[in-house]
Amino acid sequence: MKKLLTSLVIATAAMSAFAKETVQIIYAFNAADSIANYGRVLADEASKSQDKYNFVFDVKPGGGQVIAVNYVKNTPNTVLATSGAFWVRPNFYPNEAHNTADFKGILPQCDDAMSIASSKYKTLKDIPTDRPLNMAITGLGVVSHLIAVKFTEKYPNVQLVPYKSPTEAIAALMGGEVEFAVGYVGDQERLNSDKKPIYVLGVTGKKTVNGHPTLVSGGLNPLLGDSDNPNQFFVPVTWSDDKYKEIRAILVKASNTKTVRDAYATNYCKSLDQMADKDIDRWFANQDKHWKKLSEGVKVN
């Protein structure tokens, strides 16, 4: 009996010695979003690549990512996975948002062109201006909200209807609750069918995406040419330099796997993760300025 107990103690101690430390990757929106897969598959690859950390993917949706941001800020060993909403929200709702200076970028993932789609109109030229219409956006104080506001400069008869995520916004479009939705090209293409057609009216950025025209070419605000949506990971500035460098190296390695690249490709997301370590802080600061400029003059109710 004594030998058995001794063996159990030794085995338990050995298991504890080899137990991985958990790092949570917290996505700020709906777990069903295709964009969520960018973080989900990266977490899996990061866990498989080494024996020290176990990366666990989770979601904390709500409040235009405010819930997720606050959770990561106050919870050790957590990484925030979000979009350009990280910078838009503080500009739209400064009293109901986070301070971007509390975080630093650890992995810029990829740049997504966002798109406006319709279940009723095939092109921007087909949109009537003499009747009220509705557009689904993926929350308040997020990139889709900014894009939609720019859209209403040309189509003031379009009313914005906030949903909690791209998944819910496109579901509203398919269900006939709204005539338009802001989302991602890949999602809108995959859900297009003969029975329930979805027409991609235009995309952000300066280049066409899979044959879809840019919104700017349709006469919308030129700033939409600079409104591609960056997806990235952030950590609190309270992380030590050693921890930051160690985790960043693991994430960069994982991001180069085929599984992660394939996840990016589902929405034509252009890779950003080859950025050198020395350029991360500068990129973060430039994004801060960039989204502030895009948000200037925008009035939200």
Side-chain angles (χ1 to χ4, degrees):
M1 186 66 173
K2 182 181 289 187
K3 289 183 178 180
L4 176 61
L5 289 174
T6 301
S7 297
L8 288 173
V9 170
I10 292 173
T12 301
M15 290 176 64
S16 298
F18 291 104
K20 287 187 175 184
E21 183 179 345
T22 296
V23 176
Q24 289 181 290
I25 295 177
I26 304 296
Y27 178 61
F29 301 100
N30 192 312
D33 295 347
S34 61
I35 306 303
N37 282 331
Y38 298 175
R40 184 180 289 111
V41 297
L42 200 148
D44 289 341
E45 293 296 333
S47 294
K48 291 188 294 185
S49 70
Q50 41 73 51
D51 296 321
K52 183 175 180 180
Y53 297 101
N54 183 37
F55 290 83
V56 177
F57 179 83
D58 200 359
V59 297
K60 300 286 181 185
Q65 65 158 3
V66 171
I67 292 175
V69 170
N70 287 337
Y71 179 83
V72 171
K73 181 181 177 180
N74 297 307
T75 307
N77 270 23
T78 55
V79 176
L80 174 68
T82 187
S83 66
F86 177 83
W87 290 288
V88 176
R89 178 80 187 193
N91 287 304
F92 274 33
Y93 301 101
N95 296 322
E96 300 170 324
H98 53 281
N99 183 353
T100 60
D102 291 337
F103 293 83
K104 56 184 176 181
I106 191 168
L107 183 72
Q109 292 175 282
C110 58
D111 251 341
D112 257 316
M114 296 198 75
S115 47
I116 293 177
S118 176
S119 57
K120 190 172 183 179
Y121 305 106
K122 294 183 179 181
T123 71
L124 291 172
K125 293 180 180 178
D126 297 328
I127 300 174
T129 57
D130 61 350
R131 70 195 72 166
L133 301 168
N134 295 303
M135 174 180 285
I137 59 176
T138 63
L140 295 174
V142 295
V143 175
S144 73
H145 189 185
L146 174 61
I147 292 167
V149 170
K150 302 295 183 185
F151 183 86
T152 60
E153 293 172 357
K154 183 172 182 179
Y155 301 99
N157 56 314
V158 175
Q159 177 178 312
L160 307 185
V161 184
Y163 289 83
K164 292 181 180 179
S165 70
T167 300
E168 293 184 18
I170 201 166
L173 179 68
M174 296 180 68
E177 298 172 29
V178 296
E179 290 84 8
F180 309 97
V182 186
Y184 295 95
V185 184
D187 289 344
Q188 293 165 351
E189 287 181 337
R190 283 188 292 276
L191 293 172
N192 180 39
S193 69
D194 292 336
K195 291 184 178 180
K196 289 189 176 182
I198 294 177
Y199 307 107
V200 178
L201 304 180
V203 300
T204 59
K206 296 181 173 67
K207 296 181 179 180
T208 60
V209 175
N210 201 31
H212 302 298
T214 65
L215 292 167
V216 173
S217 69
L220 273 72
N221 193 310
L223 290 176
L224 290 172
D226 295 314
S227 298
D228 282 352
N229 194 359
N231 295 278
Q232 64 271 303
F233 291 172
F234 300 98
V235 296
V237 293
T238 51
W239 272 35
S240 69
D241 288 344
D242 289 343
K243 183 68 167 288
Y244 175 89
K245 291 176 181 177
E246 184 180 21
I247 298 298
R248 171 163 162 72
I250 295 169
L251 296 176
V252 170
K253 180 180 179 181
S255 72
N256 282 303
T257 61
K258 184 178 184 301
T259 307
V260 174
R261 296 294 179 185
D262 288 347
Y264 294 169
T266 60
N267 281 309
Y268 310 102
C269 204
K270 300 178 288 293
S271 175
L272 292 171
D273 51 22
Q274 299 304 307
M275 197 177 298
D277 293 1
K278 64 182 179 62
D279 295 327
I280 297 291
D281 288 346
R282 183 173 59 185
W283 180 83
F284 185 99
N286 286 341
Q287 288 291 310
D288 211 25
K289 294 176 183 177
H290 174 73
W291 291 101
K292 184 175 182 178
K293 179 181 178 181
L294 292 182
S295 303
E296 284 178 355
V298 172
K299 296 180 180 180
V300 293
N301 298 320

